[in-house]
Amino acid sequence: MIPKLPEKLIDAEEQILSSLTNYFDKSNSNLISVNILFEGLRLQPIAIRLFQKLESLSNKCKLVWPDAGAAALAKRDAPEISKDINTYKDLIIDTDSLELEELVIIAVSPQHYDYDEFESLCSKVKGKIIMLNGKLDDPAVGIGSVARERRKLFTSKWLNTYWLEPLTKGALIHLYPSNWILYKITSEGYIQIDNFKEKPNSEEIFEAFMK
């Protein structure tokens, strides 16, 4: 089945849920990434709605943020789930809850400067972790080779179930278990021009647009 580009944000969220439920049914791997890459996109309401949808499917969920300020804002906006909104540090301390194999953690937008704390959290979780719009690559110049290899190994363990990215000439989408689909914008709208088993790099995307 070839995934279609969503017309609205709510359509993309339904695709995210579909990709996750398909993955939960078919794999025991616990490191999952979801990326929806629109400039200026507010992640908090998306994360809260995803939490609510997964909980409605009988999953035990927690919503986690890198810092206390973001967690506090989420608790203010979604008081009905405030007891399940935490920071990375909160959950690292709360080791009992991390032992639950049925637990699903939605980690919102971990960045490269959160890496050590986030990796520590992931190493303690027995259930599944969904990394929403994470960016763990460290742009710092001069990072040690040992640390760089450790980070590279960690990031390679994550399996992407959903990716939606607008491009200058089109868009890239991945909806598990389908291939990665590249669309090109034309006078007649978006048309599929290529597909890939793995996420294409910038050179592969450029070559596809030039065909």
Side-chain angles (χ1 to χ4, degrees), residues 5 163-167 170-174 180-183 194 196 199-200 205:
L5 290 175
W163 185 285
L164 180 60
E165 180 181 9
L167 304 170
L172 179 67
I173 187 171
H174 175 232
W180 295 71
I181 307 298
L182 183 63
Y183 283 88
D194 213 337
F196 308 84
K199 181 178 180 292
I205 291 174

mmCIF file of all heavy atoms in Angstrom, residues 5 163-167 170-174 180-183 194 196 199-200 205:
data_model
loop_
_atom_site.group_PDB
_atom_site.id
_atom_site.type_symbol
_atom_site.label_atom_id
_atom_site.label_comp_id
_atom_site.label_asym_id
_atom_site.label_seq_id
_atom_site.Cartn_x
_atom_site.Cartn_y
_atom_site.Cartn_z
ATOM 1 N N LEU A 5 -0.020 11.482 0.667
ATOM 2 C CA LEU A 5 0.317 12.661 1.455
ATOM 3 C C LEU A 5 -0.937 13.162 2.161
ATOM 4 O O LEU A 5 -1.992 13.300 1.537
ATOM 5 C CB LEU A 5 0.881 13.761 0.561
ATOM 6 C CG LEU A 5 2.271 13.513 -0.029
ATOM 7 C CD1 LEU A 5 2.642 14.635 -0.991
ATOM 8 C CD2 LEU A 5 3.322 13.406 1.069
ATOM 9 N N TRP A 163 7.398 9.289 8.879
ATOM 10 C CA TRP A 163 8.204 10.458 8.506
ATOM 11 C C TRP A 163 7.417 11.261 7.486
ATOM 12 O O TRP A 163 6.954 10.713 6.488
ATOM 13 C CB TRP A 163 9.531 10.000 7.895
ATOM 14 C CG TRP A 163 10.503 11.103 7.578
ATOM 15 C CD1 TRP A 163 10.445 11.995 6.547
ATOM 16 C CD2 TRP A 163 11.697 11.425 8.303
ATOM 17 N NE1 TRP A 163 11.521 12.852 6.581
ATOM 18 C CE2 TRP A 163 12.310 12.525 7.659
ATOM 19 C CE3 TRP A 163 12.296 10.893 9.440
ATOM 20 C CZ2 TRP A 163 13.496 13.085 8.093
ATOM 21 C CZ3 TRP A 163 13.488 11.457 9.886
ATOM 22 C CH2 TRP A 163 14.071 12.539 9.220
ATOM 23 N N LEU A 164 7.264 12.540 7.728
ATOM 24 C CA LEU A 164 6.626 13.436 6.775
ATOM 25 C C LEU A 164 7.451 14.713 6.713
ATOM 26 O O LEU A 164 7.580 15.424 7.709
ATOM 27 C CB LEU A 164 5.189 13.752 7.193
ATOM 28 C CG LEU A 164 4.404 14.693 6.262
ATOM 29 C CD1 LEU A 164 4.286 14.093 4.859
ATOM 30 C CD2 LEU A 164 3.022 14.997 6.834
ATOM 31 N N GLU A 165 7.995 14.989 5.534
ATOM 32 C CA GLU A 165 8.904 16.136 5.380
ATOM 33 C C GLU A 165 8.613 16.877 4.078
ATOM 34 O O GLU A 165 8.727 16.294 2.996
ATOM 35 C CB GLU A 165 10.353 15.656 5.381
ATOM 36 C CG GLU A 165 11.361 16.776 5.225
ATOM 37 C CD GLU A 165 12.797 16.285 5.200
ATOM 38 O OE1 GLU A 165 13.007 15.050 5.131
ATOM 39 O OE2 GLU A 165 13.714 17.122 5.257
ATOM 40 N N PRO A 166 8.246 18.145 4.148
ATOM 41 C CA PRO A 166 8.104 18.935 2.928
ATOM 42 C C PRO A 166 9.483 19.258 2.357
ATOM 43 O O PRO A 166 10.424 19.541 3.100
ATOM 44 C CB PRO A 166 7.393 20.201 3.413
ATOM 45 C CG PRO A 166 7.772 20.315 4.860
ATOM 46 C CD PRO A 166 7.941 18.909 5.358
ATOM 47 N N LEU A 167 9.598 19.202 1.055
ATOM 48 C CA LEU A 167 10.842 19.514 0.357
ATOM 49 C C LEU A 167 10.588 20.646 -0.630
ATOM 50 O O LEU A 167 9.441 20.953 -0.962
ATOM 51 C CB LEU A 167 11.367 18.274 -0.387
ATOM 52 C CG LEU A 167 11.596 17.023 0.462
ATOM 53 C CD1 LEU A 167 11.865 15.814 -0.434
ATOM 54 C CD2 LEU A 167 12.744 17.241 1.427
ATOM 55 N N GLY A 170 8.922 18.964 -3.504
ATOM 56 C CA GLY A 170 7.937 17.916 -3.264
ATOM 57 C C GLY A 170 7.831 17.568 -1.792
ATOM 58 O O GLY A 170 7.805 18.454 -0.934
ATOM 59 N N ALA A 171 7.811 16.276 -1.503
ATOM 60 C CA ALA A 171 7.674 15.827 -0.124
ATOM 61 C C ALA A 171 8.140 14.381 -0.005
ATOM 62 O O ALA A 171 8.089 13.611 -0.976
ATOM 63 C CB ALA A 171 6.228 15.945 0.347
ATOM 64 N N LEU A 172 8.577 14.017 1.198
ATOM 65 C CA LEU A 172 9.018 12.649 1.497
ATOM 66 C C LEU A 172 8.145 12.110 2.615
ATOM 67 O O LEU A 172 7.938 12.783 3.634
ATOM 68 C CB LEU A 172 10.487 12.650 1.929
ATOM 69 C CG LEU A 172 11.102 11.292 2.298
ATOM 70 C CD1 LEU A 172 11.188 10.382 1.064
ATOM 71 C CD2 LEU A 172 12.498 11.491 2.909
ATOM 72 N N ILE A 173 7.632 10.884 2.425
ATOM 73 C CA ILE A 173 6.782 10.282 3.450
ATOM 74 C C ILE A 173 7.169 8.829 3.665
ATOM 75 O O ILE A 173 7.551 8.120 2.721
ATOM 76 C CB ILE A 173 5.283 10.395 3.075
ATOM 77 C CG1 ILE A 173 4.400 9.914 4.226
ATOM 78 C CG2 ILE A 173 4.973 9.655 1.789
ATOM 79 C CD1 ILE A 173 2.904 10.182 4.023
ATOM 80 N N HIS A 174 7.092 8.401 4.913
ATOM 81 C CA HIS A 174 7.280 6.981 5.259
ATOM 82 C C HIS A 174 6.188 6.598 6.239
ATOM 83 O O HIS A 174 5.991 7.262 7.256
ATOM 84 C CB HIS A 174 8.647 6.748 5.889
ATOM 85 C CG HIS A 174 8.841 5.342 6.362
ATOM 86 N ND1 HIS A 174 9.263 5.022 7.638
ATOM 87 C CD2 HIS A 174 8.654 4.150 5.732
ATOM 88 C CE1 HIS A 174 9.337 3.714 7.768
ATOM 89 N NE2 HIS A 174 8.964 3.159 6.634
ATOM 90 N N TRP A 180 9.755 4.131 1.749
ATOM 91 C CA TRP A 180 9.821 5.591 1.752
ATOM 92 C C TRP A 180 9.405 6.073 0.371
ATOM 93 O O TRP A 180 9.936 5.606 -0.642
ATOM 94 C CB TRP A 180 11.231 6.067 2.072
ATOM 95 C CG TRP A 180 11.686 5.711 3.460
ATOM 96 C CD1 TRP A 180 12.006 4.478 3.919
ATOM 97 C CD2 TRP A 180 11.874 6.609 4.551
ATOM 98 N NE1 TRP A 180 12.380 4.533 5.239
ATOM 99 C CE2 TRP A 180 12.309 5.835 5.654
ATOM 100 C CE3 TRP A 180 11.724 7.981 4.714
ATOM 101 C CZ2 TRP A 180 12.586 6.396 6.896
ATOM 102 C CZ3 TRP A 180 12.010 8.554 5.950
ATOM 103 C CH2 TRP A 180 12.431 7.756 7.024
ATOM 104 N N ILE A 181 8.449 7.000 0.317
ATOM 105 C CA ILE A 181 7.898 7.463 -0.955
ATOM 106 C C ILE A 181 8.259 8.926 -1.181
ATOM 107 O O ILE A 181 8.054 9.773 -0.298
ATOM 108 C CB ILE A 181 6.363 7.304 -0.992
ATOM 109 C CG1 ILE A 181 5.958 5.865 -0.631
ATOM 110 C CG2 ILE A 181 5.832 7.692 -2.358
ATOM 111 C CD1 ILE A 181 6.464 4.814 -1.581
ATOM 112 N N LEU A 182 8.787 9.208 -2.366
ATOM 113 C CA LEU A 182 9.150 10.577 -2.738
ATOM 114 C C LEU A 182 8.118 11.114 -3.731
ATOM 115 O O LEU A 182 7.841 10.487 -4.759
ATOM 116 C CB LEU A 182 10.545 10.608 -3.366
ATOM 117 C CG LEU A 182 11.095 11.989 -3.751
ATOM 118 C CD1 LEU A 182 11.271 12.867 -2.523
ATOM 119 C CD2 LEU A 182 12.424 11.837 -4.496
ATOM 120 N N TYR A 183 7.541 12.266 -3.381
ATOM 121 C CA TYR A 183 6.573 12.932 -4.246
ATOM 122 C C TYR A 183 7.184 14.200 -4.826
ATOM 123 O O TYR A 183 7.989 14.869 -4.177
ATOM 124 C CB TYR A 183 5.315 13.310 -3.458
ATOM 125 C CG TYR A 183 4.379 12.152 -3.178
ATOM 126 C CD1 TYR A 183 4.537 11.366 -2.048
ATOM 127 C CD2 TYR A 183 3.323 11.874 -4.042
ATOM 128 C CE1 TYR A 183 3.666 10.309 -1.776
ATOM 129 C CE2 TYR A 183 2.444 10.831 -3.789
ATOM 130 C CZ TYR A 183 2.622 10.049 -2.655
ATOM 131 O OH TYR A 183 1.761 9.019 -2.401
ATOM 132 N N ASP A 194 9.370 8.186 -6.926
ATOM 133 C CA ASP A 194 10.339 7.149 -6.554
ATOM 134 C C ASP A 194 9.983 6.582 -5.194
ATOM 135 O O ASP A 194 9.203 7.180 -4.434
ATOM 136 C CB ASP A 194 11.760 7.715 -6.518
ATOM 137 C CG ASP A 194 12.806 6.669 -6.944
ATOM 138 O OD1 ASP A 194 12.495 5.466 -6.828
ATOM 139 O OD2 ASP A 194 13.883 7.072 -7.385
ATOM 140 N N PHE A 196 11.908 4.060 -1.849
ATOM 141 C CA PHE A 196 13.169 3.562 -1.305
ATOM 142 C C PHE A 196 12.886 2.641 -0.119
ATOM 143 O O PHE A 196 11.963 2.887 0.663
ATOM 144 C CB PHE A 196 14.053 4.730 -0.821
ATOM 145 C CG PHE A 196 14.258 5.813 -1.837
ATOM 146 C CD1 PHE A 196 13.315 6.827 -2.001
ATOM 147 C CD2 PHE A 196 15.392 5.834 -2.628
ATOM 148 C CE1 PHE A 196 13.500 7.841 -2.930
ATOM 149 C CE2 PHE A 196 15.589 6.849 -3.558
ATOM 150 C CZ PHE A 196 14.640 7.845 -3.708
ATOM 151 N N LYS A 199 15.600 5.245 4.241
ATOM 152 C CA LYS A 199 15.478 6.694 4.079
ATOM 153 C C LYS A 199 16.522 7.189 3.078
ATOM 154 O O LYS A 199 17.711 6.968 3.247
ATOM 155 C CB LYS A 199 15.681 7.392 5.419
ATOM 156 C CG LYS A 199 15.551 8.914 5.342
ATOM 157 C CD LYS A 199 15.722 9.541 6.709
ATOM 158 C CE LYS A 199 15.604 11.056 6.628
ATOM 159 N NZ LYS A 199 16.716 11.677 5.909
ATOM 160 N N PRO A 200 16.091 7.867 2.012
ATOM 161 C CA PRO A 200 17.044 8.351 1.013
ATOM 162 C C PRO A 200 17.849 9.545 1.531
ATOM 163 O O PRO A 200 17.341 10.359 2.303
ATOM 164 C CB PRO A 200 16.139 8.773 -0.149
ATOM 165 C CG PRO A 200 14.846 9.145 0.495
ATOM 166 C CD PRO A 200 14.700 8.195 1.660
ATOM 167 N N ILE A 205 17.721 11.916 -3.300
ATOM 168 C CA ILE A 205 16.532 12.727 -3.533
ATOM 169 C C ILE A 205 16.765 13.669 -4.721
ATOM 170 O O ILE A 205 15.896 13.810 -5.596
ATOM 171 C CB ILE A 205 16.168 13.526 -2.269
ATOM 172 C CG1 ILE A 205 15.670 12.577 -1.169
ATOM 173 C CG2 ILE A 205 15.118 14.586 -2.574
ATOM 174 C CD1 ILE A 205 15.421 13.252 0.153
#
